[in-house]
Amino acid sequence: ERLTKSARDTIKTPWDVINEIMDGGLGTGELGVIVAPAGIGKSWTLQALGAGALKNKKSIVHYTLELNENYVGLRYDSIFSGVTTSNIKYYKEDVEKRISALGGNLIIKYFPTKAASVQTIGAHLKQIELSEIKVDVVIVDYADILMPTGFFKEKRHAIGGIYEDLRGLAGEFQIPIWT
């Protein structure tokens, strides 16, 4: 019976080579982590992952703990339109036309750094469920600046706890979470 059913329900990334390596993309209940030095493009990569899912008519919740909601939205607009964020204001109608043709939902929620925990995100996801929107993918930009639950002497232990809690949240909601 296991062989007749897909072992994993996945959400593809926008990149075929990554989907091949990940056996179809990130699966429900799984946590995907983008790791790179500062200024390399982790946030842009997360937004590209969200945009790819949105193009496939999925519903995405993008939590940002650094950039404000409007700027994150402008970056998504840029990805969909191919227009740089600084020039979007000149192509407003073209951008709106392309975005209106997309399916799915994109919810962008800002929390100040260290003001939200994994539990805060879980409570927000439950509110979204009550509005009858089925969330397909969650993006957290970025987990390291979530508020830890509990007291830890070392930062690495606090961050480890945050990642474990995020993985648990992915399992609880049966959705992939990228951070």
Side-chain angles (χ1 to χ4, degrees), residues 68-81:
N68 71 52
E69 292 171 353
N70 287 333
Y71 189 61
V72 172
L74 281 173
R75 284 178 157 200
Y76 273 100
D77 295 344
S78 180
I79 291 167
F80 293 127
S81 68

Side-chain angles (χ1 to χ4, degrees), residues 18-108:
I18 301 297
N19 294 328
E20 187 175 320
I21 291 167
M22 294 179 67
D23 195 22
L26 194 62
T28 56
E30 295 177 356
L31 177 65
V33 181
I34 306 296
V35 180
I40 295 297
K42 295 179 297 294
S43 294
W44 276 105
T45 301
L46 290 171
Q47 288 162 332
L49 288 162
L54 195 61
K55 286 178 184 175
N56 287 317
K57 304 197 183 324
K58 302 295 182 189
S59 292
I60 296 91
V61 180
H62 186 119
Y63 294 101
T64 174
L65 293 105
E66 265 191 323
L67 305 171
N68 71 52
E69 292 171 353
N70 287 333
Y71 189 61
V72 172
L74 281 173
R75 284 178 157 200
Y76 273 100
D77 295 344
S78 180
I79 291 167
F80 293 127
S81 68
V83 177
T84 62
T85 55
S86 59
N87 287 331
I88 282 181
K89 60 188 169 222
Y90 304 117
Y91 298 94
K92 185 178 175 183
E93 284 131 18
D94 292 340
V95 172
E96 285 176 350
K97 185 177 178 182
R98 288 186 188 207
I99 290 172
S100 66
L102 295 170
N105 294 298
L106 173 61
I107 298 169
I108 302 168

Side-chain angles (χ1 to χ4, degrees), residues 65 113-118 121 140 142-148 162 166:
L65 293 105
T113 299
K114 299 283 185 192
S117 65
V118 173
I121 290 172
V140 179
Y142 61 96
D144 290 26
I145 56 179
L146 282 168
M147 182 175 56
I162 289 168
L166 270 178

